[in-house]
Amino acid sequence: MALDEYKPQSGDAELENKELKYVGTTPDRPDGLDKVTGKARFGADLSLPGMLFGAIVRSPHAHARIVKIDASKAEALDGVKAVVTRADFATGLEGEYGFVLENVMAGEKALYDGHAVAAVAATSALIARDAAKLVEVEYEVLPHVTDVDKAMAEGAPVINAAYADASVPEGMHPNVVRHHESGHGDVEAGFAEADLIVEDTYVTEAAHQGYIEPNACVAQMGSDGKGELWVCTQGHWYVQKHCAALLGMETAQLRVTASEIGGGFGGKTTVFQEPVALALSRKASRPVKLALQRSEVLRATGPTASASMDIKIGMKKDGTITAAEGTFRLQGGAFPGAPMEFSAMCAFACYDLANVRQVGWDVVSNRPKQAAYRAPGAPMAAFAVESVIDTACNKLGLDPLEVRLKNAAHDGTKASWGPRYDQIGMVATLEAAKAHPHYSAPLEPGQGRGVASGFWFNHGGETSVSLSLSEDGTCQVSVGTPDIGGSRASMALMAAEVLGIPYENIRVTIADTATLGYNDVSHGSRVTYASGLATIKAARAAVEKLCQRAAAKWGIEEDAVKWEDGCAVPSGANAGDFDPLPLAEITATMGSTGGPISGHFEATPEGAGVSFGTHIVDAEVDQETGATKIVRYTVVQDAGKAIHPAYVEGQYQGGAAQGIGWALNEEYVYGEDGRLQNTVFLDYRIPVASDLPMIDAVIVEVPNPGHPYGVRGVGETGIVPPLAAIANAVSNAAGVRLKSLPMNPPKILEALEDQAGDA
Amino acid sequence: MKYLTPASFAEAASLARDASGVTRFLAGGTDVLVQMRADIVTPDTLIDIKHIDGVRDIIRGADGGWTIGVATPGAEMKEHAELGAEWPGVVEGMDLIGSTQVQGRATLTGNLCNASPAADSVPAMVAAGVEVTVSGPDGSRRVKAEDIPVAPGRTSLSKGELISAVHIPPRGDNGGDAYLRFIPRTEMDIAVVGCGVNLRLDGDVITEARVSLGAVAPTVLLVQACADTIIGSTLDEAALDRLAEAASAACNPITDKRGTVKFRTHVAGVLAQRTAKIAYGRAKGETK
Ligand SMILES: Cc1cc2nc3c(=O)[nH]c(=O)nc-3n(C[C@H](O)[C@H](O)[C@H](O)COP(=O)(O)OP(=O)(O)OC[C@H]3O[C@@H](n4cnc5c(N)ncnc54)[C@H](O)[C@@H]3O)c2cc1C
């Protein structure tokens, strides 16, 4: 993911004020039946004639020079058809391609526990597994570091002396590879005006996206140099481009098809095993299936970054924030790219501040290359900032929602990260939270309540959509954004709205890379906004043609026909007196009235509206064991316009559920040896269903001017407030401030004990 | 890998005695099959004991005790009303294992022989005074549950031996048992600490007690010192304080990804108190 993708956006005014018939309803999801009956095909569900199975050889060391790889024993094993190492990939790649290749297959050094160093393909998965064990790799083990603060400290082992870019000031440790600074006003003057200054350090551990479907693909390279790839991914054009580059082939020669996807949450916006499967297939001249084990997913695919953050906030007695300052040190594994600028830019974005400054540091260490995880960088920043605001509210005896309302960003506010906000929903979410019965419900003894707000940019991106009508009046829509959150239903609803035909008459398909123009990945909460906008415009293009056919039939001017409720109608009394002509009647004869009718739209829309949310959480802490139970949870978030409200609620609930995991129990546990200790879901503790309360979802709708129906993306904002809201609830329940995630039972007991010691 | 389905324990024992390499018995398979898939243990010989007559039975003995077949899944125990009324702690310990799916397969015997220090049914069995019949090529013997595991992943059974039945003693009057575990989540987790308590009352006074701790030492512990703190008491505050202290003192845990020494030691005391209170309430007939 290129970091410049989230540049401030300002699109055309698109909003139309029109009564909506289909948009806003909640029809059945089109993929539901296939998924519950097991018919849906995921990454590992394709099998081809003559197919081989791949397995990856991984470094057991956190940091080691690869002295020698001897694959002769593996190659001699019956059934083994190919072994690949770095020598089987393109050379001379630079920038992000270079980093991705280095991550996908180590070159001179293994940079983290689980780093791929070789791979084998064999006639069965078991033979491949055994063969992988026979590949002999000689390592020279090097000192390692896995902690962000230690990685920046003097004497820390250097991951790669050439990483740091020009933004890093002289004198920093070479593991500090990028630097960001932004803000406005005069923070020193602001702090001087404050009645109270709260200053604290907060830390978070890395958390994995925890998608249920392990990364998997089936690759087929022909001896003519053409390739096919079936893969579970959030963006197959990205996969196409990167795999082609890593294999040294031309992009158009590789056709990539996206399978159904069992979760991604940002983690499937890059490549891991895909180029390896292609390289194995090229070498063996046979199709290769490569499906990762869960332990490989946790050791070697990208979790989010871990963070260490210093926050300082000045507040007046009435709750006015006079100045805010934050430093965000993010560890994103062995490669540059930790989203520290997003942490910095989102940290104070909810507020209208006269004086604000934020600094970010990108730090490398011997951990897997971080990947995006819903609103990358923002949740940890919100955890630190919203905890400090809560501390200040407690100290001054102020209501935390009132204080947020007092300082809330509104239409026209100059954002902490630069631009002026257009029409935004921060105040509306706070008002809705305040009015919600949850906020005034009494608490039981031992319980505490926390609130927190959060911000995310949202994104547009390259988008291309085609839509075609069938003779019977039904419609097929081809989009290029894998459906990770119900987008097929939303696209069908938007197409139905424009065409005026029922939702059930529309089938939406995720097209492969050969059938549409480049589509950016399904990330940045962009799909319902951008693919939705393109679907609407593609449908409008088809409507225009439908109107032309009606005009020709009636023998009137094209602009004397308009489209209403699925029919062409004369635009006014002067246009003539004709019965409405339904879509299906026009398409029935389209072959002889001018040919097939379709619509297409492509653009890089820039009107993704920013989004805000506010969460309310009640937590109960067992003071004897440190165990926490989340007893009530309410999400309030601005959706702009909820196209399919049930899916929007699902996004909100999912954000809260993942936030509960990240806040309470999920963490990467590294041993002294630099190896990941918890490589399965038994010990990498994502929440189970019984850990979660019913999560109440409140949809606020402040329309985004950049979308015809007002859509703002909703996929990411929902995970921004939870860490903070839960930390505030737990801290208020325990009576002690928790400053480190995860807030697992030993940590809570420790904090309680320290406090007892203080008193 | 050889997969064998003997029709009797004698046959199973001689197959195991004659097998070479790594041998595993297949009860519910919820440890064995998982370990195979995860490439942790790939047995050379897999002896499925589910084809032996009566291995899924729950039978009341002449003395009022119970004999549980070695392939009886947790779900069958949970649905057995009389067993649950008499030994709620043992049934709970078993029932805490895994999910609904796992419950359809997992067994007491498998949990005991997998020899994990954190096994959930084992502290409850040890507190209850459970014994097992061990069958071997040369006949059979009775062994106390606490004497089966000897170290993480290791049992006292010798080559060719297997468990052929689990015996829960008669409940008798004025008794109650309970099992509690501490896990960071609410389900699907491994005990950071487990505690089993089984006691008998005369009026309000505890006359017999057995207290066991799981996940705080290489094997499940039967802690006489804990029992001693509450025998003769009415489980008053002072007795509970002494119990917590004795439980913490008995711990010999490790720090790992699941919990620290300090945390485990502290929580063992808390759990011992909570478990004892439940067992006490049950012995009095006040709670189920
Ligand atoms: C998803 C999941 C969740 C789990 N959760 C828990 C949990 O919460 N708590 C917990 O304690 N465990 C848990 N387990 C582990 C497992 O389910 C239990 O240990 C279970 O009781 C094992 O019983 P089984 O019948 O499946 O044993 P099997 O897997 O069949 O056998 C286990 C071991 O016992 C040996 N064995 C079996 N029968 C005999 C016999 N008759 N004589 C001698 N040796 C024998 C086998 O050789 C093997 O070594 C979980 C497992 C899974 C997969």
Side-chain angles (χ1 to χ4, degrees):
Chain A
M1 180 187 55
L3 294 168
D4 60 4
E5 283 183 354
Y6 291 94
K7 61 182 181 283
Q9 305 214 325
S10 59
D12 303 333
E14 300 279 358
L15 192 64
E16 55 174 50
N17 277 319
K18 180 182 139 199
E19 189 95 6
L20 300 170
K21 181 173 172 187
Y22 297 100
V23 164
T25 62
T26 56
D28 288 348
R29 54 194 290 169
D31 54 335
L33 200 65
D34 280 355
K35 282 186 178 158
V36 296
T37 55
K39 264 191 272 171
R41 290 190 308 156
F42 293 89
D45 290 335
L46 180 74
S47 288
L48 296 174
M51 188 176 78
L52 304 175
F53 297 81
I56 295 180
V57 181
R58 296 183 182 279
S59 167
H61 305 295
H63 197 189
R65 190 166 307 285
I66 299 168
V67 179
K68 193 174 134 205
I69 301 178
D70 178 358
S72 53
K73 284 189 187 136
E75 282 164 339
L77 189 70
D78 220 16
V80 172
K81 301 293 178 189
V83 178
V84 298
T85 62
R86 181 61 175 274
D88 295 281
F89 293 87
T91 51
L93 297 178
E94 285 181 1
E96 186 63 14
Y97 282 142
F99 294 145
V100 172
L101 174 57
E102 193 64 42
N103 187 43
V104 157
M105 190 58 71
E108 286 169 19
K109 285 206 296 184
L111 297 171
Y112 54 89
D113 166 45
H115 198 168
V117 296
V120 299
T123 48
S124 81
L126 276 180
I127 296 175
R129 184 171 96 180
D130 288 344
K133 290 183 207 158
L134 292 176
V135 175
E136 288 169 3
V137 186
E138 191 186 319
Y139 295 99
E140 175 197 336
V141 178
L142 303 170
H144 65 271
V145 61
T146 57
D147 174 87
V148 58
D149 290 318
K150 286 183 190 152
M152 294 176 82
E154 214 184 299
V158 176
I159 311 299
N160 185 328
Y163 276 166
D165 73 13
S167 65
V168 181
E170 295 261 333
M172 300 295 288
H173 189 285
N175 289 343
V176 179
V177 295
R178 294 184 314 120
H179 171 67
H180 164 95
E181 220 173 311
S182 57
H184 58 249
D186 179 346
V187 286
E188 293 316 324
F191 286 126
E193 282 173 45
D195 294 318
L196 171 74
I197 290 176
V198 180
E199 197 173 356
D200 246 320
T201 297
Y202 284 78
V203 298
T204 66
E205 240 313 324
H208 196 269
Q209 298 81 356
Y211 38 79
I212 296 303
E213 184 196 13
N215 308 58
C217 65
V218 179
Q220 182 165 30
M221 285 293 294
S223 40
D224 56 0
K226 295 193 177 74
E228 304 275 337
L229 183 68
W230 163 268
V231 57
C232 74
T233 176
Q234 290 177 244
H236 36 311
W237 275 269
Y238 174 98
V239 171
Q240 179 195 34
K241 192 167 74 175
H242 280 71
C243 287
L246 269 53
L247 284 136
M249 56 193 285
E250 285 163 358
T251 307
Q253 298 304 343
L254 179 63
R255 185 171 72 109
V256 184
T257 307
S259 70
E260 285 290 345
I261 181 167
F265 311 108
K268 290 176 185 165
T269 57
T270 180
V271 292
F272 296 105
Q273 84 292 357
E274 298 87 344
V276 179
L278 285 161
L280 285 167
S281 175
R282 179 160 71 183
K283 203 154 185 179
S285 291
R286 282 168 69 168
V288 174
K289 179 183 293 192
L290 188 40
L292 301 191
Q293 304 288 316
R294 179 65 57 192
S295 59
E296 297 182 280
V297 171
L298 287 170
R299 283 169 76 200
T301 70
T304 186
S306 65
S308 159
M309 303 164 285
D310 308 325
I311 307 296
K312 182 175 178 185
I313 282 181
M315 202 180 267
K316 288 201 164 154
K317 283 192 183 119
D318 70 354
T320 307
I321 298 174
T322 58
E325 193 173 36
T327 301
F328 304 87
R329 296 171 291 271
L330 267 70
Q331 170 285 129
F335 300 89
M340 53 83 182
E341 53 276 82
F342 296 162
S343 301
M345 291 159 79
C346 294
F348 303 106
C350 291
Y351 304 107
D352 185 3
L353 301 173
N355 308 300
V356 57
R357 183 167 68 213
Q358 52 248 342
V359 177
W361 300 102
D362 178 0
V363 184
V364 292
S365 78
N366 294 112
R367 291 199 188 202
K369 186 179 195 302
Q370 67 85 35
Y373 180 14
R374 300 177 89 163
M380 39 283 230
F383 162 58
V385 169
E386 299 284 302
S387 292
V388 169
I389 292 179
D390 202 60
T391 305
C393 292
N394 286 351
K395 286 198 168 162
L396 294 172
L398 299 170
D399 177 275
L401 277 184
E402 293 296 349
V403 166
R404 285 175 174 81
L405 269 168
K406 192 171 202 77
N407 295 287
H410 42 79
D411 301 2
T413 291
K414 181 173 168 55
S416 57
W417 49 287
R420 281 202 184 277
Y421 288 127
D422 201 323
Q423 185 168 309
I424 59 168
M426 175 64 187
V427 173
T429 70
L430 288 168
E431 295 285 5
K434 204 172 106 182
H436 195 281
H438 183 172
Y439 195 58
S440 47
L443 289 167
E444 305 279 322
Q447 297 181 348
R449 178 162 296 152
V451 299
S453 297
F455 161 88
W456 184 244
F457 307 97
N458 291 341
H459 179 51
E462 299 95 322
T463 309
S464 168
V465 168
S466 282
L467 167 158
S468 64
L469 300 177
S470 308
E471 279 185 359
D472 62 359
T474 56
C475 170
Q476 352 193 19
V477 183
S478 297
V479 302
T481 37
D483 181 352
I484 57 172
S487 55
R488 276 170 293 192
S490 296
M491 297 308 132
L493 283 167
M494 287 184 266
E497 195 69 58
V498 178
L499 297 171
I501 60 173
Y503 167 84
E504 290 73 21
N505 290 3
I506 299 168
R507 178 167 176 170
V508 183
T509 302
I510 313 302
D512 64 53
T513 54
T515 46
L516 276 181
Y518 188 91
N519 271 274
D520 187 7
V521 175
S522 294
H523 70 162
S525 302
R526 73 179 211 88
V527 173
T528 313
Y529 163 69
S531 287
L533 178 89
T535 298
I536 291 166
K537 296 206 170 187
R540 285 180 185 165
V543 161
E544 202 172 302
K545 290 176 197 160
L546 289 162
C547 289
Q548 285 164 3
R549 302 289 165 96
K553 178 171 178 165
W554 292 331
I556 62 175
E557 290 295 314
E558 279 171 24
D559 57 10
V561 179
K562 64 176 184 178
W563 195 255
E564 238 176 51
D565 214 9
C567 297
V569 293
S571 62
N574 295 340
D577 187 15
F578 303 101
D579 286 341
L581 191 55
L583 183 143
E585 275 184 38
I586 303 174
T587 54
T589 59
M590 65 185 173
S592 56
T593 60
I597 299 178
S598 59
H600 182 79
F601 185 80
E602 54 203 2
T604 302
E606 297 224 322
V610 299
S611 157
F612 297 87
T614 297
H615 293 197
I616 313 170
V617 184
D618 296 349
E620 192 171 290
V621 174
D622 182 336
Q623 301 263 344
E624 286 185 323
T625 63
T628 294
K629 191 173 156 200
I630 304 299
V631 289
R632 189 166 180 183
Y633 203 117
T634 303
V635 178
V636 184
Q637 188 179 317
D638 179 14
K641 174 71 195 174
I643 301 296
H644 188 295
Y647 268 124
V648 172
E649 286 172 7
Q651 290 294 318
Y652 291 8
Q653 291 168 329
Q658 289 186 309
I660 288 171
W662 193 348
L664 296 183
N665 281 311
E666 290 181 41
E667 74 181 304
Y668 270 55
V669 183
Y670 280 94
E672 288 290 312
D673 56 5
R675 290 183 187 160
L676 185 63
Q677 303 290 299
N678 51 339
T679 61
V680 290
F681 275 156
L682 187 56
D683 295 306
Y684 182 83
R685 296 186 172 104
I686 63 171
V688 297
S690 52
D691 291 339
L692 306 174
M694 193 58 212
I695 297 161
D696 214 350
V698 179
I699 300 173
V700 169
E701 294 185 325
V702 177
N704 166 26
H707 184 276
Y709 305 143
V711 167
R712 295 174 197 273
V714 298
E716 292 170 291
T717 305
I719 205 170
V720 183
L723 309 183
I726 296 161
N728 291 341
V730 169
S731 299
N732 291 330
V736 55
R737 179 62 54 185
L738 277 308
K739 298 176 191 169
S740 159
L741 297 188
M743 297 174 285
N744 57 29
K747 235 186 246 174
I748 291 180
L749 269 194
E750 198 80 36
L752 284 167
E753 205 173 288
D754 288 352
Q755 187 198 39
D758 289 349
Chain B
M1 187 181 71
K2 264 190 281 180
Y3 171 74
L4 307 168
T5 56
S8 69
F9 286 109
E11 189 189 344
S14 58
L15 287 171
R17 182 198 54 203
D18 299 342
S20 55
V22 179
T23 301
R24 286 288 182 275
F25 295 102
L26 187 66
T30 60
D31 281 315
V32 170
L33 298 179
V34 173
Q35 287 161 8
M36 281 168 61
R37 284 202 147 228
D39 204 13
I40 297 168
V41 181
T42 306
D44 300 292
T45 308
L46 195 56
I47 304 175
D48 189 340
I49 47 122
K50 289 190 292 297
H51 297 258
I52 300 171
D53 262 357
V55 289
R56 285 192 184 81
D57 294 347
I58 299 174
I59 296 168
R60 165 85 80 181
D63 62 352
W66 297 93
T67 297
I68 316 278
V70 291
T72 308
E76 298 267 3
M77 292 173 60
K78 177 91 197 266
E79 305 230 319
H80 198 291
E82 269 181 283
L83 179 67
E86 291 184 13
W87 292 102
V90 174
V91 173
E92 269 162 15
M94 187 63 215
D95 185 52
L96 281 174
I97 293 173
S99 57
T100 303
Q101 294 91 325
V102 170
Q103 279 294 310
R105 287 259 143 185
T107 66
L108 285 176
T109 309
N111 199 222
L112 184 62
C113 295
N114 188 54
S116 158
D120 276 308
S121 73
V122 178
M125 283 198 275
V126 167
V130 163
E131 293 183 1
V132 297
T133 300
V134 173
S135 296
D138 311 319
S140 63
R141 58 196 174 99
R142 292 267 284 220
V143 181
K144 293 188 178 111
E146 57 267 34
D147 293 334
I148 294 293
V150 292
R154 280 192 24 231
T155 68
S156 57
L157 303 182
S158 41
K159 188 168 163 65
E161 284 190 325
L162 77 161
I163 294 180
S164 52
V166 175
H167 310 283
I168 309 179
R171 172 65 280 179
D173 295 332
N174 305 321
D177 79 327
Y179 172 75
L180 287 180
R181 68 172 177 183
F182 182 85
I183 54 171
R185 289 184 289 197
T186 48
E187 267 194 72
M188 303 304 290
D189 223 325
I190 291 199
V192 179
V193 181
C195 179
V197 174
N198 175 30
L199 42 79
R200 194 181 308 284
L201 305 181
D202 181 3
D204 288 345
V205 178
I206 298 171
T207 54
E208 291 170 30
R210 287 169 69 89
V211 178
S212 62
L213 291 171
V216 294
T219 60
V220 169
L221 303 175
L222 174 65
V223 190
Q224 187 59 41
C226 284
D228 293 343
T229 62
I230 55 172
I231 291 173
S233 83
T234 57
L235 207 67
D236 50 298
E237 284 301 317
L240 284 167
D241 285 348
R242 291 195 307 268
L243 173 62
E245 239 171 76
S248 294
C251 293
N252 173 27
I254 53 168
T255 289
D256 67 2
K257 60 201 170 194
R258 294 179 185 138
T260 58
V261 166
K262 191 173 162 194
F263 181 76
R264 287 188 149 116
T265 307
H266 170 78
V267 171
V270 175
L271 275 200
Q273 293 180 330
R274 291 181 182 181
T275 316
K277 284 185 198 164
I278 298 171
Y280 188 83
R282 285 173 175 165
K284 288 203 75 167
E286 286 166 357
T287 48
K288 285 200 170 157

